[in-house]
Amino acid sequence: MAELILTRNFHLAESHTLRVYRETGGYEAVRKAFGMAPADVVAEVRRSNLRGLGGAGFPTGVKWGFIPKESTKPRYLVINGDEGEPGTFKDRYLLERDPHALIEGMIISAYAIGSHTAFVYIRGEYVRPWEIFSRAVEEACAAGFLGKNILGSGFDLDIIVHRGAGAYICGEETGLISSLEGNKGWPKLKPPFPAVRGAFGCPTIVNNVETICHVPPIINRGAEWFAGLGTKSQGGTRMYSVSGHVVRPGVYELPVSATVRQLIYEHAGGLPNGRRLKAVVPGGSSSAILTADEIDVTMDVDGLQRAGSMIGSAGVIVMDETVSIPEALMVIARFYAHESCGQCTPCRESTGWIYKTARRIVEGKGRKEDLDTILDVARRGAGTTICAFYDGAVGPYISYVEKFRAEFEALIGEGQPSLVVAH
Amino acid sequence: MARLTIDGKEIEVPAGTVLIEAARRLGIEIPHYCYHPGLSIAGQCRLCMVEIEKNPRLQISCNTVATDGMVVQTGSPKVLETRKSIMEFHLINHPLDCPVCDQAGECWLQIYYMQHGLYEPRMMDEKVHKPKAVPLGPHVMLDAERCILCSRCVRFCDEVTGTSELGIFNRGDRSEIGLFPGRELANPYSGNVIDICPVGALTDRDFRFAVRVWYLDRAKSVCPGCARGCNIEIHYNVRRPHHNAGRRVARLKPRENPEVNKWWICDFGRYGFGFIDDPSRLLAPARREGPKAEEVSWEDAVQLLAGRLRQYAPEEIGVLASPQMANEDLFLLKRLAGHLGIRSLDFGVPPRDPGFEDHLLIRADKNPNSKGAELIGLLPRDGGPDARGMLQAARARRLKCLWVFHHDLTRSAWGEAEVLEALLALGCLIFQGSNANGVSAHAHLVLPSATYAEREGTFTNFQGRVQRFRKAVEPLGESRPDWEILARVGEAVGLDLRPTRAEDLFRELARTLPAFSGLSYRSLGDLGQKVQE
Ligand SMILES: Cc1cc2nc3c(=O)[nH]c(=O)nc-3n(C[C@H](O)[C@H](O)[C@H](O)COP(=O)(O)O)c2cc1C
Ligand code: SF4
Ligand code: SF4
Ligand code: SF4
Ligand code: FES
């Protein structure tokens, strides 16, 4: 079994305490980072090939470099712990079992980008992770790892913990910023990008919890070591949340070069009750579905992109042969219709439209043209919206229908007459 | 500056110009809903997308800044196809109640559907239902089903008035415009949200169902409600006289003028036109002896007045002009008073209550032309009395004949009893104005004026900007523009000025008064010009 990095201490009792974290080598990377120039920390992270683990897979070091050099405004580091993507539950484990890893990662990252105030936006339903993480922040403050002049370095950092109020869209980085600012969680127009004009009008870097937890090991052990764990374009390991029809659902940390098949059969124990695999959603609900024949694909950002899907937040949902794909589409379409923030027209209107159509098909009232309408509506809206929410919905809409068309057609049968006489 | 190409045409625009504005300068109108030049960029409707060379994705033109060398297509097949899709998205949950919608005929859903939609309807499911006919305040009615959630109304209340009554509540296709709890849309500019709402979601409670908009004609005018002189359009209906209870002027709409009112007008101005078609209008000249009033012909009225003006000595005559009158009227009146040697001349009467004023548009001075009256010099001459002095002189029976224009002196800051005593002491009280009031009730001679909507002229606003207003409808009954009445009186008393049109007077005014020199109707154009100060 490959080496564990993020989850190495998960098995220890009290792994969430400062004591255990320090006993296992915690807060050493901070000292090392303070001995480096901030720009060198950024360069180290860039060379490590660390890519964002929140969904978009953007190279972390590159993103940090987008803050305008000449800006004199305060800079903010914002940690995205909204974890709303269906099928994803890894950040919650990090917050609960190794909160100091995130705090140490934040100190180093904030030092690298020159931020003195950092926010952690935690999903509202995550009460226990929020309690545990907040306690860890207090501990770190008391021990001098946060606040003024940390470890005598002259560097100051405060962490503000903010709880969300239950909207998926507040995980989208600009929706998150709006919410953090006290506004309705509406994504913002880009440009300007957050690195230029983010929270409270100031340069802001938004990173996922897991992404930042990777930073201390990178500093401790070097960019080359981290890059060597992964593929050519993505370094390290990441945490895969596995749910659905597997013997051992849960969170698995694996190098990003592992395949979907390995994850399901070697780690999660395969499918229960001798059932056959039907489909896998590899990267949270917003990724295109894979058929049982398509799972020999590496679970790095580029590997899944080549396979026509995406690794996204690495929420792996396994479906066995008992699953009705039209019903699965209806459920997922209901989610997107419910969660669309409603700000921009294509997303607001077509998420509801597609949900109603999928529901009608499942209820046996489908019409022959419904499937083409779903595909056409999804394609027409793609790429026209304010944020990536809608493109995330298009992935499942199109792939479920295209890859399992016969199953939809069987439900529609001869179909309802397409002429509507009265409303 | 940025040099770019839009639809094959080159153009140079200032740095920071967004594509939708750059295109507009070339006369290319990119369809849009949420963009409004007076509001922040929302980028919500997604209708304004254009194709930019080397960019695989279409971009919204309202939030894309023009840069050097950009090559933009506003009508490529990809753009047209996307526009059509976006129109379909806008309409799938729309109730399509055009036949009973007050916006029909001026609705941007209808217009863009015809221009860019024209798809076969495919949405077969139940539409989302939302509240209809919800009063948001005294002037605005909401139909949430018709709303396309462009957020213009919300941004207006957040950014222009700063009152933030409105919000968008809920999510997804259940999103809905509404008032924050306990609020009412009652700010003094609330009517503007009706204008900027591109669809029939916000309609005017005053105008709803009065006239179908395709029966309306329009005239460019200037609001007479205060010294700002907001540029307006008068929308009037003379084609279907049985509509709107016979009232011709149906509504006022703001007309854009960057120097004066931008895109807005206030609610006092917007709803202040009722007097034009009001039963209180004075419709024919009348003379009164004792309690009995009797209509007379203009011929007789003018002769009567000329006789009185000759009968009294100039010291016994007072002229109280009004800042409601146009520059043309005031100029002629000033000349007439000079010709007759009248020294008791004034225009200002203090209002009973100090006028409301704010930092946006509304001015405390509720007259459109105080500045004009001042510049033209409707002021006491050679130590003659001012307005108040004239009333005192009347009470003392030194002033015997008073010609009052428009003012209702009984509702001024001066005590009503005091005013009435003065008016009743006069040997001859002449009232010239458009509507009956406390002065006309006691006048020996009443001369009916046309309103600003029934004639041409110019007002000079508090900034010294001279602005033209044009005729919408014919003068009601036998009423006539003030200058025309004055011209007839002038002719009867031998004045040398013989104008046949308002413009003749403006030409003379520009020729003789340095402040107005260089101005002409032509140079004023639609947006006006400043006087020399
Ligand atoms: C609809 C939507 C929901 C998202 N939800 C999350 C989330 O819950 N957590 C997260 O880290 N990123 C989420 N993202 C991705 C963020 O926008 C952003 O890319 C990420 O936080 C950046 O961090 P990273 O570069 O470290 O991945 C979401 C994106 C979209 C479009
Ligand atoms: S794409 Fe959807 S979620 Fe994103 S801004 Fe538009 S309506 Fe909101
Ligand atoms: S009510 Fe009108 S202006 Fe307001 S959001 Fe709806 S469509 Fe736009
Ligand atoms: S601000 Fe004055 S001029 Fe403008 S609309 Fe109101 S009353 Fe008329
Ligand atoms: S006008 Fe540009 S998105 Fe609405």
Side-chain angles (χ1 to χ4, degrees):
Chain A
M1 179 119 65
E3 185 191 359
L4 299 179
I5 302 164
L6 296 167
T7 58
R8 65 186 182 279
N9 290 340
F10 277 23
H11 64 286
L12 299 175
E14 311 261 281
S15 64
H16 61 280
T17 59
L18 180 62
R19 179 181 60 79
V20 173
Y21 188 66
R22 295 194 70 177
E23 280 168 11
T24 53
Y27 287 112
E28 287 308 316
V30 157
R31 289 180 204 281
K32 190 166 170 194
F34 283 157
M36 299 162 70
D40 293 337
V41 177
V42 177
E44 192 73 11
V45 171
R46 192 182 300 130
R47 278 192 295 119
S48 76
N49 278 352
L50 173 63
R51 291 178 73 162
L53 303 173
F58 196 82
T60 305
V62 177
K63 188 194 275 186
W64 290 2
F66 288 158
I67 293 188
K69 300 272 171 298
E70 67 281 9
S71 170
T72 54
K73 291 185 180 167
R75 295 151 183 215
Y76 298 119
L77 173 67
V78 176
I79 302 303
N80 190 340
D82 194 52
E83 191 148 76
E85 185 75 14
T88 313
F89 39 86
K90 61 189 178 72
D91 294 338
R92 135 179 219 172
Y93 281 88
L94 288 165
L95 291 167
E96 285 186 14
R97 304 222 182 157
D98 211 352
H100 286 284
L102 177 59
I103 295 170
E104 186 175 16
M106 288 176 70
I107 303 168
I108 299 169
S109 307
Y111 173 72
I113 63 169
S115 164
H116 301 289
T117 306
F119 299 88
V120 182
Y121 189 102
I122 297 180
R123 180 184 171 119
E125 293 88 339
Y126 279 7
V127 177
R128 199 159 59 147
W130 164 68
E131 284 170 356
I132 294 174
F133 183 74
S134 301
R135 228 176 295 134
V137 169
E138 284 164 24
E139 270 186 306
C141 274
F145 291 111
L146 291 173
K148 294 257 175 277
N149 190 17
I150 300 169
L151 302 176
S153 63
F155 179 72
D156 309 335
L157 178 67
D158 291 318
I159 290 183
I160 296 165
V161 182
H162 184 99
R163 291 181 67 195
Y168 172 59
I169 197 58
C170 292
E172 194 279 339
E173 58 181 2
T174 57
L176 184 150
I177 288 171
S178 298
S179 170
L180 194 62
E181 290 169 336
N183 296 317
K184 185 168 179 175
W186 271 10
K188 300 186 183 198
L189 289 184
K190 287 159 277 213
F193 288 91
V196 176
R197 202 183 148 76
F200 310 102
C202 297
T204 300
I205 295 293
V206 181
N207 272 127
N208 174 254
V209 168
E210 187 188 356
T211 310
I212 295 304
C213 288
H214 269 306
V215 171
I218 291 173
I219 296 302
N220 269 332
R221 300 168 71 174
E224 285 66 30
W225 160 80
F226 189 82
L229 295 174
T231 61
K232 211 167 109 250
S233 56
Q234 184 175 10
T237 59
R238 77 181 294 178
M239 290 164 67
Y240 298 91
S241 316
V242 185
S243 63
H245 299 129
V246 289
V247 174
R248 285 191 302 276
V251 171
Y252 295 90
E253 182 182 5
L254 298 175
V256 298
S257 53
T259 65
V260 178
R261 184 181 300 281
Q262 286 167 339
L263 175 66
I264 296 174
Y265 289 98
E266 291 171 23
H267 299 277
L271 278 66
N273 308 325
R275 295 222 191 100
R276 275 187 317 189
L277 180 68
K278 182 169 192 177
V280 180
V281 173
S285 64
S286 304
S287 57
I289 199 165
L290 301 174
T291 65
D293 305 333
E294 293 174 324
I295 60 172
D296 292 303
V297 50
T298 57
M299 290 186 294
D300 59 327
V301 174
D302 296 335
L304 271 153
Q305 197 175 338
R306 277 193 299 275
S309 182
M310 69 174 185
I311 189 59
S313 57
V316 181
I317 305 168
V318 180
M319 303 183 188
D320 74 15
E321 57 193 327
T322 64
V323 172
S324 153
I325 297 294
E327 275 182 42
L329 178 65
M330 178 187 79
V331 171
I332 213 75
R334 181 168 57 210
F335 173 78
Y336 287 103
H338 187 260
E339 293 300 321
S340 161
C341 84
Q343 188 181 189
C344 64
T345 306
C347 169
R348 176 182 68 240
E349 301 298 333
S350 55
T351 48
W353 184 3
I354 289 176
Y355 164 55
K356 285 176 191 166
T357 310
R359 186 182 60 190
R360 199 156 37 70
I361 294 172
V362 169
E363 287 169 350
K365 297 180 212 150
R367 296 173 211 281
K368 284 209 163 318
E369 65 274 20
D370 280 342
L371 297 179
D372 288 332
T373 302
I374 292 178
L375 292 175
D376 187 61
V377 169
R379 289 199 183 104
R380 282 170 178 270
T384 68
T385 54
I386 291 179
C387 84
F389 173 99
Y390 188 68
D391 290 348
V394 165
Y397 294 155
I398 293 182
S399 61
Y400 285 47
V401 173
E402 275 188 341
K403 294 187 182 180
F404 296 90
R405 187 161 183 132
E407 209 178 320
F408 285 89
E409 280 169 350
L411 269 182
I412 294 172
E414 278 312 295
Q416 303 277 316
S418 50
L419 183 70
V420 181
V421 180
H423 279 288
Chain B
M1 296 300 268
R3 227 186 150 69
L4 71 163
T5 309
I6 304 178
D7 293 350
K9 293 178 209 147
E10 280 218 358
I11 184 173
E12 199 168 67
V13 292
T17 307
V18 287
L19 292 180
I20 198 169
E21 283 297 336
R24 198 172 267 181
R25 290 185 190 200
L26 282 170
I28 302 166
E29 182 74 16
I30 300 176
H32 61 277
Y33 288 125
C34 64
Y35 175 75
H36 188 288
L39 304 172
S40 64
I41 307 283
Q44 288 170 222
C45 74
R46 315 307 281 182
L47 187 60
C48 69
M49 302 238 220
V50 294
E51 193 167 347
I52 301 170
E53 202 176 78
K54 298 202 199 80
N55 202 327
R57 278 195 171 195
L58 300 187
Q59 299 295 317
I60 50 171
S61 58
C62 64
N63 193 44
T64 307
V65 172
T67 55
D68 255 332
M70 231 180 207
V71 179
V72 180
Q73 297 285 338
T74 75
S76 68
K78 201 168 156 191
V79 170
L80 295 182
E81 203 45 50
T82 303
R83 226 175 251 170
K84 191 168 169 164
S85 306
I86 305 278
M87 282 315 299
E88 186 179 20
F89 293 143
H90 270 110
L91 282 162
I92 58 165
N93 278 308
H94 189 275
L96 303 181
D97 47 9
C98 309
V100 294
C101 173
D102 220 44
Q103 189 86 0
E106 55 181 6
C107 170
W108 289 94
L109 278 172
Q110 291 182 327
I111 297 167
Y112 288 151
Y113 174 77
M114 296 310 288
Q115 291 175 350
H116 306 284
L118 292 180
Y119 53 83
E120 285 293 319
R122 299 188 283 178
M123 223 288 287
M124 301 295 179
D125 298 282
E126 178 85 7
K127 297 184 181 217
V128 179
H129 293 294
K130 295 178 190 170
K132 297 175 88 73
V134 186
L136 295 182
H139 305 303
V140 185
M141 189 73 91
L142 166 70
D143 183 314
E145 283 187 348
R146 297 180 191 150
C147 168
I148 56 163
L149 295 157
C150 70
S151 83
R152 278 180 172 189
C153 56
V154 177
R155 282 176 283 144
F156 178 84
C157 295
D158 284 348
E159 298 164 14
V160 179
T161 58
T163 43
S164 298
E165 297 93 339
L166 295 172
I168 295 181
F169 302 91
N170 214 325
R171 265 198 319 236
D173 59 13
R174 289 95 53 225
S175 299
E176 205 177 292
I177 285 287
L179 291 164
F180 282 100
R183 301 296 304 274
E184 193 193 4
L185 185 60
N187 70 63
Y189 297 89
S190 67
N192 292 288
V193 300
I194 301 159
D195 307 332
I196 60 177
C197 179
V199 302
L202 301 179
T203 51
D204 194 326
R205 295 181 71 178
D206 182 67
F207 174 73
R208 266 161 74 86
F209 311 129
V211 197
R212 297 251 63 164
V213 299
W214 48 86
Y215 296 134
L216 296 178
D217 292 300
R218 287 141 205 255
K220 290 174 183 163
S221 189
V222 172
C223 173
C226 82
R228 171 76 54 183
C230 291
N231 291 203
I232 56 169
E233 257 183 16
I234 300 177
H235 290 192
Y236 59 97
N237 160 43
V238 287
R239 301 195 221 176
R240 289 295 185 280
H242 51 286
H243 288 323
N244 200 18
R247 292 191 305 274
R248 302 161 303 164
V249 175
R251 63 179 180 185
L252 305 183
K253 287 280 187 186
R255 185 160 61 82
E256 183 184 342
N257 186 331
E259 304 296 325
V260 180
N261 55 306
K262 308 253 173 36
W263 301 268
W264 326 119
I265 55 174
C266 79
D267 289 353
F268 308 114
R270 183 185 299 267
Y271 301 110
F273 62 84
F275 73 97
I276 298 169
D277 290 309
D278 194 78
S280 68
R281 278 296 295 276
L282 299 168
L283 298 176
R287 63 185 293 183
R288 178 184 288 108
E289 267 161 75
K292 218 171 90 353
E294 156 200 22
E295 282 190 11
V296 291
S297 70
W298 270 113
E299 193 54 43
D300 291 349
V302 168
Q303 287 313 325
L304 193 80
L305 176 53
R308 289 287 187 262
L309 293 173
R310 266 188 243 106
Q311 170 193 339
Y312 293 104
E315 314 77 61
E316 294 173 327
I317 306 176
V319 170
L320 188 43
S322 161
Q324 294 280 330
M325 294 160 80
N327 291 317
E328 292 76 0
D329 310 328
L330 294 167
F331 176 71
L332 184 52
L333 179 57
K334 164 101 180 174
R335 285 283 276 269
L336 183 62
H339 175 77
L340 297 168
I342 296 168
R343 294 187 298 124
S344 314
L345 188 61
D346 200 357
F347 68 91
V349 173
R352 181 161 295 170
D353 304 309
F356 173 77
E357 177 165 47
D358 68 13
H359 296 295
L360 205 51
L361 298 175
I362 303 169
R363 307 287 303 176
D365 175 7
K366 298 307 170 199
N367 297 293
N369 204 23
S370 300
K371 185 85 183 176
E374 221 176 276
L375 289 170
I376 293 166
L378 275 291
L379 294 166
R381 293 198 315 153
D382 308 330
D386 64 4
R388 177 139 217 205
M390 289 183 224
L391 293 185
Q392 274 161 3
R395 275 196 301 277
R397 307 199 188 245
R398 272 183 279 118
L399 193 88
K400 309 229 161 93
C401 173
L402 180 61
W403 192 356
V404 178
F405 290 83
H406 299 274
H407 292 289
D408 188 351
L409 298 169
T410 62
R411 295 165 145 270
S412 68
W414 302 320
E416 191 175 339
E418 191 188 335
V419 167
L420 280 178
E421 192 198 332
L423 297 183
L424 295 174
L426 288 160
C428 177
L429 172 63
I430 304 138
F431 178 78
Q432 180 165 331
S434 60
N435 293 64
N437 67 18
V439 177
S440 70
H442 301 287
H444 302 107
L445 182 60
V446 172
L447 304 174
S449 312
T451 63
Y452 77 106
E454 297 162 328
R455 50 165 293 184
E456 277 210 286
T458 59
F459 292 138
T460 310
N461 83 350
F462 76 103
Q463 302 161 305
R465 175 171 288 269
V466 185
Q467 307 191 97
R468 284 184 72 178
F469 56 91
R470 301 168 200 241
K471 179 169 163 180
V473 291
E474 289 300 323
L476 206 59
E478 288 182 50
S479 65
R480 290 291 171 269
D482 283 327
W483 69 266
E484 225 179 283
I485 302 170
L486 290 166
R488 293 182 72 161
V489 176
E491 194 177 346
V493 297
L495 184 71
D496 53 353
L497 206 56
R498 298 275 164 83
T500 56
R501 299 190 304 147
E503 191 175 0
D504 297 341
L505 287 162
F506 194 81
R507 211 179 295 114
E508 188 64 12
L509 167 68
R511 199 178 61 76
T512 52
L513 260 173
F516 291 83
S517 80
L519 303 184
S520 68
Y521 270 20
R522 177 179 260 259
S523 77
L524 294 181
D526 287 340
L527 303 181
Q529 257 193 321
K530 274 203 168 186
V531 293
Q532 329 242 331
E533 276 185 285

Short mmCIF file of all heavy atoms in Angstrom, two decimals, chain B residues 20 31-35 43-48 60-62, ligand 5:
data_model
loop_
_atom_site.label_atom_id
_atom_site.label_comp_id
_atom_site.label_asym_id
_atom_site.label_seq_id
_atom_site.Cartn_x
_atom_site.Cartn_y
_atom_site.Cartn_z
N ILE B 20 -20.80 46.32 -25.46
CA ILE B 20 -22.18 46.68 -25.80
C ILE B 20 -22.28 48.18 -26.09
O ILE B 20 -23.02 48.61 -26.98
CB ILE B 20 -23.15 46.24 -24.66
CG1 ILE B 20 -24.59 46.18 -25.14
CG2 ILE B 20 -23.04 47.12 -23.43
CD1 ILE B 20 -25.56 45.50 -24.16
N PRO B 31 -28.91 42.92 -28.43
CA PRO B 31 -30.05 42.63 -27.56
C PRO B 31 -29.60 42.39 -26.12
O PRO B 31 -28.57 41.74 -25.90
CB PRO B 31 -30.64 41.35 -28.15
CG PRO B 31 -30.16 41.31 -29.55
CD PRO B 31 -28.84 42.00 -29.56
N HIS B 32 -30.34 42.92 -25.17
CA HIS B 32 -29.94 42.79 -23.77
C HIS B 32 -31.13 43.04 -22.88
O HIS B 32 -32.07 43.72 -23.28
CB HIS B 32 -28.82 43.78 -23.44
CG HIS B 32 -29.24 45.21 -23.61
ND1 HIS B 32 -29.23 45.84 -24.83
CD2 HIS B 32 -29.73 46.11 -22.73
CE1 HIS B 32 -29.68 47.08 -24.69
NE2 HIS B 32 -30.00 47.27 -23.42
N TYR B 33 -31.07 42.51 -21.68
CA TYR B 33 -32.10 42.79 -20.67
C TYR B 33 -31.51 43.41 -19.41
O TYR B 33 -32.00 44.38 -18.89
CB TYR B 33 -32.84 41.52 -20.26
CG TYR B 33 -33.79 40.99 -21.31
CD1 TYR B 33 -33.69 39.68 -21.76
CD2 TYR B 33 -34.79 41.80 -21.83
CE1 TYR B 33 -34.56 39.19 -22.72
CE2 TYR B 33 -35.67 41.31 -22.79
CZ TYR B 33 -35.55 40.00 -23.23
OH TYR B 33 -36.41 39.52 -24.17
N CYS B 34 -30.46 42.82 -18.89
CA CYS B 34 -30.04 43.27 -17.56
C CYS B 34 -29.14 44.49 -17.61
O CYS B 34 -29.08 45.25 -16.66
CB CYS B 34 -29.37 42.14 -16.78
SG CYS B 34 -27.83 41.51 -17.48
N TYR B 35 -28.47 44.69 -18.73
CA TYR B 35 -27.59 45.85 -18.83
C TYR B 35 -28.39 47.14 -18.85
O TYR B 35 -29.40 47.25 -19.54
CB TYR B 35 -26.75 45.76 -20.11
CG TYR B 35 -25.90 46.97 -20.35
CD1 TYR B 35 -24.75 47.19 -19.60
CD2 TYR B 35 -26.28 47.93 -21.29
CE1 TYR B 35 -23.98 48.33 -19.81
CE2 TYR B 35 -25.52 49.07 -21.49
CZ TYR B 35 -24.37 49.27 -20.74
OH TYR B 35 -23.61 50.40 -20.92
N GLY B 43 -24.79 41.08 -15.58
CA GLY B 43 -24.44 39.93 -16.41
C GLY B 43 -25.35 38.73 -16.22
O GLY B 43 -24.91 37.60 -16.34
N GLN B 44 -26.62 38.96 -15.93
CA GLN B 44 -27.50 37.86 -15.57
C GLN B 44 -28.33 37.29 -16.71
O GLN B 44 -28.62 36.11 -16.73
CB GLN B 44 -28.45 38.32 -14.46
CG GLN B 44 -27.75 38.48 -13.14
CD GLN B 44 -28.57 39.15 -12.08
OE1 GLN B 44 -28.09 39.98 -11.35
NE2 GLN B 44 -29.85 38.80 -12.01
N CYS B 45 -28.72 38.15 -17.66
CA CYS B 45 -29.68 37.67 -18.67
C CYS B 45 -28.99 36.82 -19.72
O CYS B 45 -29.61 35.97 -20.32
CB CYS B 45 -30.41 38.84 -19.30
SG CYS B 45 -29.40 39.80 -20.44
N ARG B 46 -27.71 37.05 -19.96
CA ARG B 46 -26.89 36.29 -20.91
C ARG B 46 -27.37 36.44 -22.34
O ARG B 46 -27.05 35.61 -23.19
CB ARG B 46 -26.82 34.80 -20.52
CG ARG B 46 -26.58 34.52 -19.06
CD ARG B 46 -25.41 35.21 -18.48
NE ARG B 46 -24.12 34.63 -18.77
CZ ARG B 46 -22.97 35.10 -18.29
NH1 ARG B 46 -22.97 36.16 -17.50
NH2 ARG B 46 -21.84 34.55 -18.61
N LEU B 47 -28.13 37.49 -22.62
CA LEU B 47 -28.64 37.67 -23.97
C LEU B 47 -27.64 38.41 -24.86
O LEU B 47 -27.71 38.33 -26.07
CB LEU B 47 -29.97 38.44 -23.91
CG LEU B 47 -30.74 38.57 -25.21
CD1 LEU B 47 -31.10 37.20 -25.76
CD2 LEU B 47 -32.00 39.39 -25.01
N CYS B 48 -26.73 39.14 -24.24
CA CYS B 48 -25.90 40.08 -25.00
C CYS B 48 -24.62 39.45 -25.50
O CYS B 48 -23.66 40.13 -25.78
CB CYS B 48 -25.58 41.28 -24.12
SG CYS B 48 -24.46 40.86 -22.77
N ILE B 60 -20.25 37.76 -22.77
CA ILE B 60 -21.29 38.78 -22.65
C ILE B 60 -20.68 40.14 -22.95
O ILE B 60 -19.63 40.50 -22.42
CB ILE B 60 -21.97 38.77 -21.26
CG1 ILE B 60 -20.96 38.81 -20.12
CG2 ILE B 60 -22.88 37.56 -21.12
CD1 ILE B 60 -21.61 39.02 -18.76
N SER B 61 -21.36 40.88 -23.82
CA SER B 61 -20.79 42.15 -24.27
C SER B 61 -20.94 43.26 -23.23
O SER B 61 -20.29 44.28 -23.32
CB SER B 61 -21.44 42.58 -25.59
OG SER B 61 -22.83 42.69 -25.44
N CYS B 62 -21.79 43.03 -22.23
CA CYS B 62 -21.97 44.08 -21.22
C CYS B 62 -20.85 44.08 -20.19
O CYS B 62 -20.68 45.05 -19.46
CB CYS B 62 -23.32 43.93 -20.51
SG CYS B 62 -23.48 42.41 -19.57
S1 FES C 5 -27.08 42.44 -20.87
FE1 FES C 5 -25.23 41.34 -20.75
S2 FES C 5 -25.80 39.62 -19.58
FE2 FES C 5 -27.62 40.78 -19.58
#
